[in-house]
Amino acid sequence: MDDVIAACQAALSRKGQVVVLTGAGVSAESGIPTFRGKEGYWTIGAREYHPQELATWEAFERMPWDVWAWYLYRRGVCRAAQPNAAHDAIALLDRKLEGRFALITQNVDGLHRRAGSPIARTFPIHGDIDYMRCANDCVLDRWPIPEAIPALARGEAAGEAHRALLRCPRCGGMARPHVLWFDESYDEPRFFLDTARRIASASALLVVIGTSAQTNLPWQVVTLAARAGATIVDINIEPNPFGEIAETSGGAIRGTAATNLPRLVDAIIHT
Ligand code: APR
């Protein structure tokens, strides 16, 4: 850890953004299953469907209320969870660095928002499970899922009350979860594609936490940061492609986010 801290402190002495990129691993210690872990949403099927078949526009078109039921169940899991020390450390780093800091997250669980990371500097590139959009894209706006909608238990169907509330406030048509599906693409208005690329290209330090490096925009972020000469650090319980890149840069910390990130942040803010 000491050599990683020294690398981070050296990076802070250079001009450039301090950027954190998170994946499901940062929320694992809050009890939210990761995607590809043994308890992940990938391996626990919602009824007879495997999750990755439900998180698609194709499934939503074919069976919208089954897809909604699965998301409302997961929304309940996320809302029952609490931010952990890693989320709190990231929010602290934001408060200390303000405009020099940016958080790019793949997580839709809302825990960074609840830990105090400000919306202005937090970029959820895969959406947010607490929000919905118009399924017909009559506008690109997104709205909080109505509080009146309770969480659903696993396997429970979305009833008439749910169907009446999950409507677009503009056109009255059906709403859809504001989440990036596997048969959809990143863009700027909904998923901060250009913003994430711009932030990475201006970074002096990139700390990657709890991701298996399986998705496209995170790879662009790491690649652009490396190209900009940023110091790259990885925190993960397992080896992963971003950890290999970090080994040749700021270093890879093999351990949990909640244990290791607070120590790293403490060293960074006291530089
Ligand atoms: N601390 C740090 N890292 C952890 C912890 C922990 N406590 N627990 C698990 N990890 C690591 C795992 O080793 C793994 O590398 O977190 C990573 C989780 O990987 P995934 O489950 O693949 O999640 P993620 O990388 O965020 O998935 C990316 O893929 O499924 C899509 O859109 C979905 O946002 C998701 C994206």
Side-chain angles (χ1 to χ4, degrees):
M1 171 73 90
D2 291 346
D3 51 356
V4 173
I5 289 172
C8 290
Q9 291 169 334
L12 281 166
S13 67
R14 301 193 301 267
K15 279 170 60 66
Q17 288 286 101
V18 175
V19 183
V20 168
L21 167 66
T22 61
V26 83
S27 297
E29 288 157 283
S30 295
I32 295 180
T34 59
F35 278 88
R36 297 173 181 82
K38 61 184 184 320
E39 292 296 313
Y41 289 100
W42 293 77
T43 56
I44 302 175
R47 292 192 297 173
E48 67 272 20
Y49 296 96
H50 193 280
Q52 70 189 55
E53 297 170 277
L54 282 181
T56 63
W57 172 252
E58 182 278 329
F60 184 78
E61 272 199 309
R62 186 158 40 86
M63 44 184 184
W65 298 113
D66 289 297
V67 172
W68 259 121
W70 182 56
Y71 273 96
L72 293 174
Y73 160 68
R74 287 179 59 202
R75 173 172 170 259
V77 170
C78 294
R79 301 194 112 195
Q82 295 303 319
N84 64 55
H87 298 103
D88 295 341
I90 292 167
L92 172 61
L93 197 54
D94 178 280
R95 287 195 296 277
K96 295 294 183 184
L97 297 178
E98 293 186 328
R100 192 180 181 193
F101 182 78
L103 170 60
I104 298 168
T105 185
Q106 300 174 82
N107 300 341
V108 300
D109 59 34
L111 291 185
H112 285 304
R113 175 170 20 89
R114 289 168 52 199
S117 290
I119 289 177
R121 292 191 289 265
T122 302
F123 303 101
I125 58 174
H126 291 169
D128 188 325
I129 206 159
D130 267 320
Y131 282 73
M132 64 185 194
R133 295 197 324 262
C134 178
N136 302 316
D137 275 339
C138 76
V139 286
L140 293 181
D141 299 16
R142 45 206 175 258
W143 298 277
I145 290 175
E147 281 302 319
I149 290 190
L152 290 186
R154 173 184 286 285
E156 186 183 352
E160 279 315 310
H162 296 94
R163 300 181 185 213
L165 289 169
L166 295 169
R167 314 300 301 183
C168 169
R170 285 287 181 85
C171 72
M174 180 180 275
R176 55 157 289 171
H178 171 52
V179 173
L180 177 61
W181 282 333
F182 288 94
D183 51 0
E184 295 182 314
S185 304
Y186 292 104
D187 63 20
E188 175 59 19
R190 289 169 279 204
F191 304 111
F192 306 103
L193 172 62
D194 303 330
T195 299
R197 290 170 50 87
R198 176 175 46 76
I199 290 168
S201 300
S203 60
L205 173 62
L206 171 65
V207 182
V208 182
I209 308 164
T211 180
S212 63
Q214 306 277 317
T215 46
N216 177 283
L217 185 48
W219 264 103
Q220 293 187 50
V221 166
V222 172
T223 304
L224 288 167
R227 199 174 295 162
T231 296
I232 298 172
V233 170
D234 182 71
I235 300 178
N236 199 311
I237 57 172
E238 292 174 350
N240 68 88
F242 291 155
E244 288 167 25
I245 294 170
E247 290 286 6
T248 64
S249 178
I253 297 171
R254 187 73 57 246
T256 71
T259 303
N260 291 284
L261 186 59
R263 272 189 63 197
L264 187 62
V265 166
D266 186 59
I268 289 174
I269 62 180
H270 290 106
T271 297

PDB file of all heavy atoms in Angstrom, residues 79-99:
ATOM      1  N   ARG A  79     -32.217  -0.677  -2.284  1.00  0.00           N
ATOM      2  CA  ARG A  79     -32.700   0.316  -1.293  1.00  0.00           C
ATOM      3  C   ARG A  79     -32.539  -0.211   0.136  1.00  0.00           C
ATOM      4  O   ARG A  79     -32.404   0.563   1.077  1.00  0.00           O
ATOM      5  CB  ARG A  79     -34.160   0.678  -1.580  1.00  0.00           C
ATOM      6  CG  ARG A  79     -34.317   1.258  -2.967  1.00  0.00           C
ATOM      7  CD  ARG A  79     -35.651   1.923  -3.158  1.00  0.00           C
ATOM      8  NE  ARG A  79     -35.495   3.357  -3.304  1.00  0.00           N
ATOM      9  CZ  ARG A  79     -36.508   4.214  -3.191  1.00  0.00           C
ATOM     10  NH1 ARG A  79     -37.701   3.794  -2.850  1.00  0.00           N
ATOM     11  NH2 ARG A  79     -36.313   5.500  -3.386  1.00  0.00           N
ATOM     12  N   ALA A  80     -32.533  -1.530   0.288  1.00  0.00           N
ATOM     13  CA  ALA A  80     -32.349  -2.111   1.639  1.00  0.00           C
ATOM     14  C   ALA A  80     -30.884  -2.097   2.055  1.00  0.00           C
ATOM     15  O   ALA A  80     -30.558  -2.220   3.241  1.00  0.00           O
ATOM     16  CB  ALA A  80     -32.868  -3.554   1.645  1.00  0.00           C
ATOM     17  N   ALA A  81     -29.995  -1.910   1.068  1.00  0.00           N
ATOM     18  CA  ALA A  81     -28.556  -1.907   1.374  1.00  0.00           C
ATOM     19  C   ALA A  81     -28.124  -0.516   1.846  1.00  0.00           C
ATOM     20  O   ALA A  81     -28.802   0.479   1.597  1.00  0.00           O
ATOM     21  CB  ALA A  81     -27.779  -2.313   0.123  1.00  0.00           C
ATOM     22  N   GLN A  82     -26.990  -0.484   2.539  1.00  0.00           N
ATOM     23  CA  GLN A  82     -26.447   0.802   3.012  1.00  0.00           C
ATOM     24  C   GLN A  82     -25.089   1.052   2.353  1.00  0.00           C
ATOM     25  O   GLN A  82     -24.315   0.107   2.155  1.00  0.00           O
ATOM     26  CB  GLN A  82     -26.258   0.779   4.540  1.00  0.00           C
ATOM     27  CG  GLN A  82     -27.581   0.654   5.304  1.00  0.00           C
ATOM     28  CD  GLN A  82     -28.572   1.779   4.949  1.00  0.00           C
ATOM     29  OE1 GLN A  82     -28.189   2.943   4.809  1.00  0.00           O
ATOM     30  NE2 GLN A  82     -29.829   1.405   4.756  1.00  0.00           N
ATOM     31  N   PRO A  83     -24.753   2.321   2.071  1.00  0.00           N
ATOM     32  CA  PRO A  83     -23.401   2.604   1.584  1.00  0.00           C
ATOM     33  C   PRO A  83     -22.362   2.079   2.581  1.00  0.00           C
ATOM     34  O   PRO A  83     -22.612   2.056   3.789  1.00  0.00           O
ATOM     35  CB  PRO A  83     -23.358   4.136   1.505  1.00  0.00           C
ATOM     36  CG  PRO A  83     -24.799   4.556   1.409  1.00  0.00           C
ATOM     37  CD  PRO A  83     -25.576   3.545   2.192  1.00  0.00           C
ATOM     38  N   ASN A  84     -21.201   1.634   2.080  1.00  0.00           N
ATOM     39  CA  ASN A  84     -20.165   1.135   2.993  1.00  0.00           C
ATOM     40  C   ASN A  84     -18.998   2.126   3.047  1.00  0.00           C
ATOM     41  O   ASN A  84     -19.060   3.207   2.439  1.00  0.00           O
ATOM     42  CB  ASN A  84     -19.715  -0.273   2.572  1.00  0.00           C
ATOM     43  CG  ASN A  84     -19.059  -0.297   1.204  1.00  0.00           C
ATOM     44  OD1 ASN A  84     -18.100   0.431   0.964  1.00  0.00           O
ATOM     45  ND2 ASN A  84     -19.583  -1.101   0.282  1.00  0.00           N
ATOM     46  N   ALA A  85     -17.934   1.767   3.747  1.00  0.00           N
ATOM     47  CA  ALA A  85     -16.803   2.691   3.973  1.00  0.00           C
ATOM     48  C   ALA A  85     -16.150   3.121   2.672  1.00  0.00           C
ATOM     49  O   ALA A  85     -15.569   4.212   2.584  1.00  0.00           O
ATOM     50  CB  ALA A  85     -15.770   2.015   4.883  1.00  0.00           C
ATOM     51  N   ALA A  86     -16.263   2.293   1.639  1.00  0.00           N
ATOM     52  CA  ALA A  86     -15.677   2.683   0.341  1.00  0.00           C
ATOM     53  C   ALA A  86     -16.494   3.811  -0.293  1.00  0.00           C
ATOM     54  O   ALA A  86     -15.937   4.805  -0.785  1.00  0.00           O
ATOM     55  CB  ALA A  86     -15.614   1.471  -0.593  1.00  0.00           C
ATOM     56  N   HIS A  87     -17.818   3.689  -0.271  1.00  0.00           N
ATOM     57  CA  HIS A  87     -18.676   4.760  -0.794  1.00  0.00           C
ATOM     58  C   HIS A  87     -18.417   6.054  -0.002  1.00  0.00           C
ATOM     59  O   HIS A  87     -18.315   7.147  -0.587  1.00  0.00           O
ATOM     60  CB  HIS A  87     -20.164   4.400  -0.650  1.00  0.00           C
ATOM     61  CG  HIS A  87     -20.587   3.187  -1.415  1.00  0.00           C
ATOM     62  ND1 HIS A  87     -20.791   1.962  -0.807  1.00  0.00           N
ATOM     63  CD2 HIS A  87     -20.855   3.011  -2.732  1.00  0.00           C
ATOM     64  CE1 HIS A  87     -21.171   1.085  -1.715  1.00  0.00           C
ATOM     65  NE2 HIS A  87     -21.217   1.679  -2.883  1.00  0.00           N
ATOM     66  N   ASP A  88     -18.287   5.916   1.307  1.00  0.00           N
ATOM     67  CA  ASP A  88     -18.063   7.111   2.147  1.00  0.00           C
ATOM     68  C   ASP A  88     -16.707   7.756   1.842  1.00  0.00           C
ATOM     69  O   ASP A  88     -16.593   8.990   1.779  1.00  0.00           O
ATOM     70  CB  ASP A  88     -18.112   6.727   3.637  1.00  0.00           C
ATOM     71  CG  ASP A  88     -19.496   6.228   4.069  1.00  0.00           C
ATOM     72  OD1 ASP A  88     -20.483   6.514   3.344  1.00  0.00           O
ATOM     73  OD2 ASP A  88     -19.585   5.529   5.090  1.00  0.00           O
ATOM     74  N   ALA A  89     -15.688   6.931   1.590  1.00  0.00           N
ATOM     75  CA  ALA A  89     -14.354   7.462   1.289  1.00  0.00           C
ATOM     76  C   ALA A  89     -14.364   8.215  -0.038  1.00  0.00           C
ATOM     77  O   ALA A  89     -13.722   9.261  -0.188  1.00  0.00           O
ATOM     78  CB  ALA A  89     -13.340   6.311   1.238  1.00  0.00           C
ATOM     79  N   ILE A  90     -15.124   7.716  -1.003  1.00  0.00           N
ATOM     80  CA  ILE A  90     -15.206   8.384  -2.312  1.00  0.00           C
ATOM     81  C   ILE A  90     -15.927   9.723  -2.168  1.00  0.00           C
ATOM     82  O   ILE A  90     -15.515  10.748  -2.733  1.00  0.00           O
ATOM     83  CB  ILE A  90     -15.919   7.469  -3.335  1.00  0.00           C
ATOM     84  CG1 ILE A  90     -15.045   6.243  -3.642  1.00  0.00           C
ATOM     85  CG2 ILE A  90     -16.259   8.228  -4.616  1.00  0.00           C
ATOM     86  CD1 ILE A  90     -15.773   5.122  -4.383  1.00  0.00           C
ATOM     87  N   ALA A  91     -16.987   9.743  -1.350  1.00  0.00           N
ATOM     88  CA  ALA A  91     -17.705  11.011  -1.123  1.00  0.00           C
ATOM     89  C   ALA A  91     -16.808  12.010  -0.395  1.00  0.00           C
ATOM     90  O   ALA A  91     -16.816  13.215  -0.699  1.00  0.00           O
ATOM     91  CB  ALA A  91     -18.975  10.744  -0.319  1.00  0.00           C
ATOM     92  N   LEU A  92     -15.967  11.517   0.523  1.00  0.00           N
ATOM     93  CA  LEU A  92     -15.021  12.400   1.231  1.00  0.00           C
ATOM     94  C   LEU A  92     -14.003  12.987   0.264  1.00  0.00           C
ATOM     95  O   LEU A  92     -13.698  14.177   0.282  1.00  0.00           O
ATOM     96  CB  LEU A  92     -14.303  11.607   2.339  1.00  0.00           C
ATOM     97  CG  LEU A  92     -13.150  12.324   3.062  1.00  0.00           C
ATOM     98  CD1 LEU A  92     -13.646  13.583   3.777  1.00  0.00           C
ATOM     99  CD2 LEU A  92     -12.454  11.367   4.047  1.00  0.00           C
ATOM    100  N   LEU A  93     -13.493  12.130  -0.633  1.00  0.00           N
ATOM    101  CA  LEU A  93     -12.518  12.594  -1.628  1.00  0.00           C
ATOM    102  C   LEU A  93     -13.135  13.689  -2.491  1.00  0.00           C
ATOM    103  O   LEU A  93     -12.496  14.699  -2.805  1.00  0.00           O
ATOM    104  CB  LEU A  93     -12.085  11.400  -2.494  1.00  0.00           C
ATOM    105  CG  LEU A  93     -10.813  11.533  -3.325  1.00  0.00           C
ATOM    106  CD1 LEU A  93      -9.624  11.948  -2.482  1.00  0.00           C
ATOM    107  CD2 LEU A  93     -10.522  10.232  -4.071  1.00  0.00           C
ATOM    108  N   ASP A  94     -14.403  13.528  -2.833  1.00  0.00           N
ATOM    109  CA  ASP A  94     -15.081  14.560  -3.628  1.00  0.00           C
ATOM    110  C   ASP A  94     -15.132  15.880  -2.854  1.00  0.00           C
ATOM    111  O   ASP A  94     -14.837  16.953  -3.387  1.00  0.00           O
ATOM    112  CB  ASP A  94     -16.494  14.115  -3.989  1.00  0.00           C
ATOM    113  CG  ASP A  94     -17.242  15.194  -4.767  1.00  0.00           C
ATOM    114  OD1 ASP A  94     -17.747  16.150  -4.123  1.00  0.00           O
ATOM    115  OD2 ASP A  94     -17.255  15.135  -5.992  1.00  0.00           O
ATOM    116  N   ARG A  95     -15.491  15.787  -1.581  1.00  0.00           N
ATOM    117  CA  ARG A  95     -15.604  17.021  -0.776  1.00  0.00           C
ATOM    118  C   ARG A  95     -14.261  17.731  -0.661  1.00  0.00           C
ATOM    119  O   ARG A  95     -14.193  18.962  -0.671  1.00  0.00           O
ATOM    120  CB  ARG A  95     -16.132  16.694   0.635  1.00  0.00           C
ATOM    121  CG  ARG A  95     -17.602  16.333   0.674  1.00  0.00           C
ATOM    122  CD  ARG A  95     -18.170  16.370   2.092  1.00  0.00           C
ATOM    123  NE  ARG A  95     -17.542  15.364   2.961  1.00  0.00           N
ATOM    124  CZ  ARG A  95     -17.918  14.085   3.008  1.00  0.00           C
ATOM    125  NH1 ARG A  95     -18.884  13.648   2.203  1.00  0.00           N
ATOM    126  NH2 ARG A  95     -17.323  13.228   3.844  1.00  0.00           N
ATOM    127  N   LYS A  96     -13.183  16.972  -0.582  1.00  0.00           N
ATOM    128  CA  LYS A  96     -11.848  17.578  -0.417  1.00  0.00           C
ATOM    129  C   LYS A  96     -11.322  18.139  -1.736  1.00  0.00           C
ATOM    130  O   LYS A  96     -10.668  19.172  -1.769  1.00  0.00           O
ATOM    131  CB  LYS A  96     -10.852  16.528   0.108  1.00  0.00           C
ATOM    132  CG  LYS A  96     -11.159  16.030   1.504  1.00  0.00           C
ATOM    133  CD  LYS A  96     -10.994  17.127   2.558  1.00  0.00           C
ATOM    134  CE  LYS A  96     -11.222  16.599   3.975  1.00  0.00           C
ATOM    135  NZ  LYS A  96     -11.165  17.647   4.984  1.00  0.00           N
ATOM    136  N   LEU A  97     -11.581  17.447  -2.838  1.00  0.00           N
ATOM    137  CA  LEU A  97     -10.989  17.856  -4.124  1.00  0.00           C
ATOM    138  C   LEU A  97     -11.937  18.678  -4.980  1.00  0.00           C
ATOM    139  O   LEU A  97     -11.528  19.356  -5.905  1.00  0.00           O
ATOM    140  CB  LEU A  97     -10.536  16.609  -4.900  1.00  0.00           C
ATOM    141  CG  LEU A  97      -9.426  15.766  -4.251  1.00  0.00           C
ATOM    142  CD1 LEU A  97      -9.119  14.550  -5.114  1.00  0.00           C
ATOM    143  CD2 LEU A  97      -8.162  16.599  -4.012  1.00  0.00           C
ATOM    144  N   GLU A  98     -13.233  18.580  -4.693  1.00  0.00           N
ATOM    145  CA  GLU A  98     -14.284  19.336  -5.421  1.00  0.00           C
ATOM    146  C   GLU A  98     -14.082  19.262  -6.940  1.00  0.00           C
ATOM    147  O   GLU A  98     -14.042  18.186  -7.514  1.00  0.00           O
ATOM    148  CB  GLU A  98     -14.315  20.788  -4.906  1.00  0.00           C
ATOM    149  CG  GLU A  98     -14.801  20.857  -3.446  1.00  0.00           C
ATOM    150  CD  GLU A  98     -14.981  22.277  -2.947  1.00  0.00           C
ATOM    151  OE1 GLU A  98     -14.229  23.171  -3.393  1.00  0.00           O
ATOM    152  OE2 GLU A  98     -15.882  22.490  -2.126  1.00  0.00           O
ATOM    153  N   GLY A  99     -13.879  20.398  -7.602  1.00  0.00           N
ATOM    154  CA  GLY A  99     -13.856  20.436  -9.067  1.00  0.00           C
ATOM    155  C   GLY A  99     -12.753  19.625  -9.701  1.00  0.00           C
ATOM    156  O   GLY A  99     -12.796  19.330 -10.886  1.00  0.00           O
TER     157      GLY A  99
END
